[in-house]
Amino acid sequence: MLGLADLLWGGLLPAFCAVVALWVVCRMTGNTASAWRTAFVLGYVVGHWALDARKVGMEEAILKSFRATEAHDWMPLAVLIAIVPDAVACVGKLGPTAGWVLRFLICVATPWRLLAGSSYLPAATIDLGFDTGAWSTLEATAWLSGSTLFLLAPWLWIRAVKTSESPRTRATLAVLVALVTAGTLAMSGSLLMGQLMGMVAATLAGCAIASSWTRLQRGPEAATGPLVIAFGGILITAFFFAALKLPNAILLMVAMAVAVGWMPRFGALSPWITIVARVAVCLVLLAIPITLAS
Amino acid sequence: MKVLVKSVISLAVFLAGFQSNALCAEHYVIDASHTSIIFGISHLGYSYTYGRFNNFKGNYVLNRANPAGSQFQLSISAASIDTNDKQRDEHLKSPDFFNAKQFPGISFQSTGVSAQQTTNGIVYQVNGKFTMHGVSRGITLPLKKLGEGKGPAGDYRTGFLCQTSLKRSDFGMNGMIPMIGNDVAITISFEGIRQGPTDASGAVGQPAGEGSGSADKQGRSGVKQ
């Protein structure tokens, strides 16, 4: 099922791009957050296009992101756009407020864009004469609001972490969560979704390796926007278009938030306790969906 | 005055011809109970796996005097795919293949029809727009008329067989090629129940006179020999 070419284009290539991008941006700007963000986005986008290019050619693969027909075709563009709020947040006095407004808008727009034109939110011109399960206005509002919360809550959660708190452990856990999620998605009726999530794992691995190598005191929280949109967007797509169960989607998203984001401090206990707690909670959260899916 | 008379005569001739054509047009609705949409696809090159679609709708207008005036239309629910394996059906509905939630329908709308009399009977070459997996392409379907006549309930039926093949990659369905074949063999056998002759607008009129039950006794002035 998973050939050498899949591992090369969907694994090694995005990881390599992420390593090179993080190292180059870090060297050129010294901005560790920018380095993480750029590396993640570049790794994901290049990997996505490379996987598609094997089937339709590179030019068509790139064009597909701009005139997408399938929901997952939008992902590179969504991940690219997700970099904007953090960039805007650094500009001027109103930057942070504008950043949060943009984050909210992206979390609203992403699920809508992924689902628009599908059987849930059909175009007005589609009339097949079958009941395709199109949502009523109330259902659409409820599902889209839930999906917005599904993206916005982990975005807030991850950004709340103290950046110096065990960045390497958090990066390693993020890779683990993405890998287990890829397995869960592949077992939930769509190899393509599993492959896309595997690419997220490879990109995170590349970032983690380069970050460790260059001794950065930043973890995946530096790329919160692109990470949440890539990870959450694929989960949303797999839930609505493949057979990923809702509890599994929620557990996997919480696992990623626990792996990378804020964790309560346990009083005066050693920082190791927090790390152990983070790892333990994460493993428990991952065990449930992978078991249910298999 | 001469010009006016000529115009009136031309119009009358045109309308007479138009009415004649319109009267020849018979409107049919596909009888789902006697219609099968079957496909076959290679598995690893070792065998063929066959499946079918259980939910579809269609209708056609048959114009025997002028086959070019015939029309065929078919809509299939992609989610109704059935390969006798529930887990495989779920996979086929996923984004790896049909992406049935994204693209719930598969459809064919004819754009031009011609007919040929062969040694095996009348074969209609139906050009049209075939849409699957969100991609529309022009294809030609060969429809062999199998027979026609009265049904058990006294209705009038015509039946056709279409056997063709297509490449699923032409419709952006690239999942698991070549393990699962790119060429898909398609067989559609359908029966239509006549609703009555249509007028120019396609509305159903009075039922036409009962047929003889044989294709050969029907008019086929527009059929190429």
Side-chain angles (χ1 to χ4, degrees):
Chain A
M1 294 291 180
L2 199 64
L4 189 64
D6 295 311
L7 290 173
L8 183 66
W9 298 114
L12 280 180
L13 181 68
F16 177 74
C17 286
V19 168
V20 172
L22 195 138
W23 185 78
V24 169
V25 175
C26 205
R27 282 287 168 128
M28 286 176 69
T29 67
N31 185 332
T32 53
S34 278
W36 255 93
R37 277 196 289 274
T38 310
F40 183 84
V41 170
L42 194 75
Y44 180 86
V45 171
V46 167
H48 192 114
W49 286 342
L51 276 177
D52 253 358
R54 289 181 53 219
K55 299 166 188 167
V56 296
M58 184 51 91
E59 191 185 342
E60 181 60 25
I62 294 169
L63 287 174
K64 267 176 80 179
S65 299
F66 298 95
R67 47 174 170 78
T69 55
E70 293 187 79
H72 57 84
D73 291 339
W74 287 107
M75 291 305 300
L77 201 59
V79 171
L80 267 170
I81 290 170
I83 212 168
V84 174
D86 290 333
V88 169
C90 305
V91 182
K93 275 185 180 178
L94 288 173
T97 312
W100 279 112
V101 170
L102 285 174
R103 281 174 199 125
F104 176 75
L105 290 177
I106 286 172
C107 291
V108 171
T110 302
W112 174 80
R113 184 54 270 177
L114 293 176
L115 296 168
S118 72
S119 60
Y120 302 105
L121 297 170
T125 50
I126 296 176
D127 180 18
L128 294 162
F130 307 115
D131 178 15
T132 54
W135 287 332
S136 65
T137 309
L138 190 68
E139 284 175 314
T141 309
W143 279 113
L144 290 176
S145 303
S147 302
T148 298
L149 192 66
F150 183 76
L151 296 176
L152 196 58
W155 200 326
L156 288 163
W157 189 341
I158 293 172
R159 278 191 63 86
V161 74
K162 197 175 173 187
T163 53
S164 59
E165 189 185 319
S166 54
R168 286 180 192 86
T169 308
R170 288 187 294 112
T172 310
L173 273 178
V175 176
L176 180 69
V177 171
L179 268 178
V180 172
T181 304
T184 308
L185 296 184
M187 286 189 284
S188 299
S190 177
L191 296 174
L192 177 68
M193 293 294 123
Q195 206 173 30
L196 290 178
M197 191 55 83
M199 209 174 59
V200 172
T203 305
L204 280 169
C207 292
I209 290 165
S211 181
S212 181
W213 180 34
T214 49
R215 299 178 187 281
L216 295 189
Q217 286 305 306
R218 290 301 294 261
E221 83 289 340
T224 305
L227 174 63
V228 166
I229 294 300
F231 190 79
I234 294 169
L235 287 180
I236 287 172
T237 311
F239 169 66
F240 285 110
F241 297 106
L244 178 67
K245 300 278 184 291
L246 182 61
N248 287 356
I250 293 170
L251 284 170
L252 290 166
M253 192 47 140
V254 173
M256 181 55 90
V258 168
V260 182
W262 174 84
M263 275 284 281
R265 286 197 170 273
F266 297 97
L269 293 173
S270 156
W272 281 102
I273 299 293
T274 306
I275 293 174
V276 170
R278 187 189 292 277
V279 173
V281 173
C282 209
L283 290 177
V284 170
L285 287 168
L286 289 178
I288 300 168
I290 194 83
T291 309
L292 289 176
S294 60
Chain B
M1 186 62 183
K2 267 187 180 177
V3 173
L4 183 65
V5 171
K6 268 186 182 175
S7 300
V8 170
I9 291 170
S10 303
L11 186 65
V13 169
F14 172 77
L15 286 174
F18 191 79
Q19 192 184 20
S20 162
N21 265 344
L23 284 173
C24 290
E26 300 164 26
H27 185 246
Y28 290 83
V29 171
I30 283 180
D31 174 14
S33 298
H34 298 97
T35 296
S36 302
I37 301 171
I38 301 163
F39 63 88
I41 193 162
S42 164
H43 175 244
L44 300 170
Y46 303 154
S47 68
Y48 285 94
T49 300
Y50 291 89
R52 65 187 196 187
F53 291 96
N54 293 329
N55 195 2
F56 46 82
K57 281 183 176 178
N59 56 66
Y60 54 96
V61 175
L62 208 55
N63 192 324
R64 295 163 200 274
N66 175 26
S70 300
Q71 288 175 24
F72 293 84
Q73 189 268 325
L74 180 68
S75 297
I76 303 167
S77 166
S80 71
I81 195 165
D82 179 358
T83 61
N84 197 30
D85 182 326
K86 202 178 170 191
Q87 201 174 358
R88 179 169 57 204
D89 292 345
E90 287 305 318
H91 191 200
L92 287 170
K93 287 182 226 173
S94 80
D96 290 4
F97 293 96
F98 283 93
N99 204 353
K101 288 288 184 186
Q102 181 93 59
F103 310 114
I106 301 166
S107 66
F108 177 79
Q109 174 67 58
S110 70
T111 53
V113 180
S114 63
Q116 278 184 317
Q117 179 68 46
T118 68
T119 50
N120 292 325
I122 299 172
V123 176
Y124 290 87
Q125 297 293 335
V126 184
N127 299 315
K129 188 176 83 169
F130 182 67
T131 304
M132 182 172 78
H133 198 246
V135 178
S136 296
R137 290 179 77 98
I139 63 168
T140 300
L141 297 178
L143 297 190
K144 183 184 175 222
K145 194 167 90 176
L146 295 177
E148 63 181 297
K150 269 187 179 177
D155 49 12
Y156 195 82
R157 293 163 177 260
T158 51
F160 292 85
L161 176 68
C162 168
Q163 288 177 305
T164 189
S165 68
L166 53 83
K167 288 192 186 299
R168 62 189 176 99
S169 60
D170 287 345
F171 296 87
M173 200 187 293
N174 299 303
M176 299 180 78
I177 294 173
M179 285 179 286
I180 310 296
N182 188 16
D183 292 303
V184 186
I186 296 169
T187 300
I188 306 173
S189 176
F190 64 94
E191 214 169 281
I193 302 172
R194 189 164 68 191
Q195 307 296 296
T198 54
D199 60 19
S201 66
V204 176
Q206 292 299 310
E210 298 301 344
S212 63
S214 159
D216 293 332
K217 291 183 183 175
Q218 299 292 320
R220 48 176 146 100
S221 57
V223 177
K224 289 177 191 166
Q225 299 293 324

